[in-house]
């Protein structure tokens, strides 16, 4: 009896809380800005720019933030390649004593030819850094992130009486090449601005329903390391294998041998991935080449696991060459990239808990869901510095309408993932929840 009384009472309370969350004064403020934000989004979507080349996107963001009263610095970022310009945007609003909170949006697009057929689809083509003609598309939704940052920036500037401290907004270049956050830190970001007490970011999700927020406490995204492997042998005529040391056969052995790193050398409780993404060797049917070049990606959460995999790759490459009789001066070369590397993205558990309860209050508990970690990567974690010195929190913003999700469930055909030429977020509802959620998240840390 007691139970049957309690259930409807609880349901009633939950409904009341959800209704309050739907009709807060913040909602009407967001809705007021929404048409202009959607227009900005569509213009950004139609004019995507590749990593290291975010010229116009950064200029637009800087101009908008300046117009809301932020103190804006452009062209922050230094790369090892002197041909790349830093396109980082840093916007500061000082509002008395209080915490310093950093909010980051990434700005770059991908070398993908858009196939969505949307009226605001990108038709942009450009030459990539290798001089190859490529289509360009915001296939990861960084245009949603820039637009959401503009929306939250405007709202927070208008709500200055409700918060205190220093708000730092970052337009980050080159997330897709995972060297943009690093470029800004290398250019002295944390000596130019007060070091943040917290860092926040959002990313759109190609699986989550629009209107919903997803989060993962602790490790949420993996570290990523690009590795180049050159298997060297001795070239010869294809008909004379006996005078060769065939690097193609050695490369095949190497690829199979490294499959045991994760399956036999690594604890099943430490997630790890070793993928060979490209292999190139040889020019013609009847020539045994001198060498074969492989490109690998390694994903782990723990640094010690990453180090173990790198050491194993080196050991196995050398072992395969030794077994194949390759002379020592032609030993394989295993080289981890110094630029295409980023640590795991770690959501500080205390900060996550605090923000999740704020988001549940602001958006309705039903709209905030815990998600499993994934082995994708992000360089946002770099803003937390080594050893997670600055607590960071990144949450996911659902971007897909319920119809498409239902259809995918019914047909078994997966939804287009991020980076797909067919991926498209629903603009208005995704931007609405992105702006609202980030504003709620910032106010939680900076409220008076
Ligand atoms: Zn991406
Ligand atoms: Zn992305």
């Amino acid at each position: 009896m007691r139970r049957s009384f309690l259930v409807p009472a609880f349901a009633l309370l939950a409904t009341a809380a959800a209704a309050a969350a739907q009709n807060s004064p913040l909602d009407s403020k967001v809705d007021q800005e929404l048409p202009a934000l959607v227009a900005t989004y569509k213009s950004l979507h139609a004019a995507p720019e590749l990593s290291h080349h975010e010229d116009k996107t950064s200029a637009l963001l800087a101009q908008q933030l300046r117009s809301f009263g932020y103190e804006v610095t452009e062209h922050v970022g230094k790369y090892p390649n002197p041909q790349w310009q830093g396109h980082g945007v840093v916007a500061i609003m000082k509002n008395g004593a209080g915490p310093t909170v950093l909010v980051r949006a990434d700005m770059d697009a991908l070398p993908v030819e858009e196939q969505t057929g949307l009226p605001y689809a990108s038709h942009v083509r450009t030459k990539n850094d290798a001089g190859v003609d490529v289509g360009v598309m915001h296939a990861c939704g960084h245009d949603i992130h820039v637009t959401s940052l503009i929306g939250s920036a405007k709202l927070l500037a208008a709500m200055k009486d409700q918060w205190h401290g220093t708000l730092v907004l970052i337009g980050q270049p080159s997330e897709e090449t995972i060297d943009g956050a690093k470029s800004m830190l290398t250019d002295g970001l944390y000596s130019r601005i007060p070091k943040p007490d917290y860092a926040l970011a959002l990313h759109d999700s190609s699986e989550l329903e629009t209107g919903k927020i997803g989060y993962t406490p602790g490790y949420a995204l993996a570290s990523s390391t690009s590795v180049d492997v050159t298997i060297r042998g001795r070239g010869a005529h294809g008909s004379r294998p006996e005078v060769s040391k065939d690097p193609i056969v050695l490369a095949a052995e190497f690829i199979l041998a490294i499959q045991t790193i994760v399956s036999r050398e690594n604890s099943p409780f430490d997630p790890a991935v070793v993928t060979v993404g490209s292999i190139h060797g040889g020019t013609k049917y009847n020539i045994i080449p001198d060498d074969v070049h492989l490109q690998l990606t390694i994903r782990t959460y723990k640094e010690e696991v990453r180090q173990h995999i790198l050491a194993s790759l080196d050991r196995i490459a050398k072992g395969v060459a030794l077994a194949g009789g390759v002379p020592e001066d032609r030993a394989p070369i295993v080289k981890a990239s110094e630029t295409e590397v980023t640590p795991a993205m770690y959501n500080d558990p205390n900060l996550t808990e605090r923000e999740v309860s704020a988001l549940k209050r602001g958006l309705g508990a039903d709209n905030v869901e815990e998600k499993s970690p994934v082995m994708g990567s992000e360089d946002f974690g770099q803003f937390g510095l080594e050893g997670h010195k600055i607590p960071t929190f990144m949450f996911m913003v659902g971007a897909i309408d319920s119809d498409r999700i239902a259809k995918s469930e019914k047909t078994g055909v997966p939804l287009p993932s991020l980076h797909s030429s067919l991926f498209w977020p629903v603009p208005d509802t995704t931007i609405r929840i992105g702006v609202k959620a980030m504003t709620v998240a910032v106010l939680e840390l900076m409220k008076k």
Side-chain angles (χ1 to χ4, degrees):
M1 279 297 283
R2 278 184 83 175
R3 213 168 251 182
S4 63
F5 168 75
L6 275 172
V7 171
F10 172 75
L12 210 67
L13 277 174
T15 317
Q22 295 303 311
N23 301 310
S24 68
L26 190 54
D27 280 293
S28 53
K29 286 193 181 106
V30 179
D31 284 339
Q32 229 170 12
E33 298 301 330
L34 205 54
L37 289 171
V38 170
T40 301
Y41 165 73
K42 288 182 177 170
S43 68
L44 284 169
H45 189 81
E49 294 172 299
L50 289 179
S51 311
H52 310 122
H53 302 279
E54 305 88 344
D55 207 4
K56 297 191 186 82
T57 311
S58 60
L60 179 138
L61 177 63
Q63 174 267 319
Q64 292 266 307
L65 298 178
R66 209 168 269 134
S67 75
F68 306 147
Y70 291 79
E71 192 186 303
V72 179
T73 311
E74 290 176 77
H75 299 293
V76 179
K78 266 203 176 80
Y79 298 101
N81 181 342
Q83 297 197 321
W84 294 335
Q85 261 189 41
H87 287 296
V89 177
V90 181
I92 299 186
M93 187 168 281
K94 290 188 179 135
N95 192 15
T100 297
V101 176
L102 180 151
V103 183
R104 170 274 214 172
D106 41 8
M107 307 184 288
D108 53 332
L110 286 156
V112 171
E113 193 176 319
E114 181 158 358
Q115 309 284 349
T116 60
L118 291 165
Y120 52 91
S122 159
H123 302 288
V124 173
R125 300 199 67 84
T126 190
K127 291 239 189 303
N128 68 10
D129 287 333
V132 179
D133 181 62
V134 290
V136 190
M137 175 187 177
H138 267 298
C140 205
H142 296 183
D143 44 358
I144 289 278
H145 308 171
V146 172
T147 310
S148 296
L149 187 71
I150 292 172
S152 298
K154 187 164 184 190
L155 257 54
L156 287 161
M159 296 161 77
K160 260 180 111 170
D161 57 326
Q162 295 179 39
W163 58 274
H164 64 136
T166 301
L167 180 58
V168 180
L169 308 179
I170 300 283
Q172 187 211 298
S174 309
E175 187 282 324
E176 297 294 357
T177 46
I178 54 176
D179 55 353
K182 200 183 201 170
S183 80
M184 295 186 79
L185 292 163
T186 306
D187 202 12
L189 178 68
Y190 284 168
S191 54
R192 294 174 175 209
I193 60 164
K195 203 188 258 179
D197 298 299
Y198 307 98
L200 304 172
L202 58 77
H203 202 296
D204 61 349
S205 162
S206 60
E207 286 158 25
L208 197 61
E209 188 179 334
T210 183
K212 290 189 187 293
I213 296 290
Y215 70 95
T216 309
Y219 284 114
L221 294 155
S223 78
S224 170
T225 308
S226 294
V227 182
D228 286 278
V229 178
T230 308
I231 304 283
R232 301 186 293 176
R234 186 193 298 139
H237 196 287
S239 67
R240 298 283 314 277
E242 72 276 19
V243 298
S244 79
K245 296 292 175 204
D246 188 343
I248 292 199
V249 174
L250 296 173
E253 285 176 358
F254 170 74
I255 291 170
L256 290 179
I258 62 173
Q259 303 308 315
T260 55
I261 298 176
V262 174
S263 71
R264 302 291 87 186
E265 295 182 24
N266 183 56
S267 161
F269 296 101
D270 288 328
V273 176
V274 176
T275 290
V276 179
S278 99
I279 169 164
H280 288 95
T283 52
K284 196 172 181 291
Y285 304 98
N286 59 355
I287 302 172
I288 294 170
D290 285 322
D291 41 46
V292 172
H293 186 229
L294 301 101
Q295 294 180 310
L296 282 67
T297 187
I298 298 174
R299 307 296 169 105
T300 71
Y301 289 123
K302 292 185 184 160
E303 175 59 18
E304 59 263 37
V305 176
R306 190 181 84 92
Q307 291 298 343
H308 175 90
I309 291 173
L310 287 174
S312 296
L313 287 173
D314 194 61
R315 188 193 75 237
I316 293 171
K318 285 185 176 134
V320 164
L322 186 70
V326 174
E328 226 168 86
D329 64 338
R330 296 285 293 156
I333 301 164
V334 177
K335 193 170 176 353
S337 169
E338 277 158 31
T339 50
E340 280 201 30
V341 57
T342 198
M345 164 63 228
Y346 182 74
N347 281 327
D348 179 82
N350 291 331
L351 177 61
T352 304
E353 201 183 317
R354 187 172 165 192
E355 289 293 17
V356 166
S357 28
L359 289 168
K360 282 184 174 170
R361 282 195 306 275
L363 274 59
D366 291 351
N367 293 325
V368 183
E369 295 176 8
E370 185 168 342
K371 294 283 167 198
S372 305
V374 294
M375 299 307 281
S377 294
E378 247 289 345
D379 68 353
F380 167 61
Q382 299 254 11
F383 291 109
L385 301 179
E386 237 179 280
H388 317 304
K389 273 191 210 85
I390 298 166
T392 53
F393 176 56
M394 169 180 260
F395 55 89
M396 310 304 284
V397 179
I400 311 298
D401 49 285
S402 54
D403 285 357
R404 275 189 288 166
I405 292 173
K407 196 174 159 202
S408 160
E409 278 165 4
K410 205 172 142 200
T411 58
V413 179
L415 288 160
S417 67
L418 296 177
H419 293 202
S420 157
S421 59
L422 295 169
F423 166 68
W424 65 274
V426 182
D428 53 353
T429 46
T430 306
I431 293 164
R432 177 192 283 131
I433 211 81
V435 171
K436 189 176 172 189
M438 189 53 85
T439 308
V440 165
V442 169
L443 287 173
E444 168 61 24
L445 301 175
M446 304 186 82
K447 69 191 164 198
K448 272 186 178 163

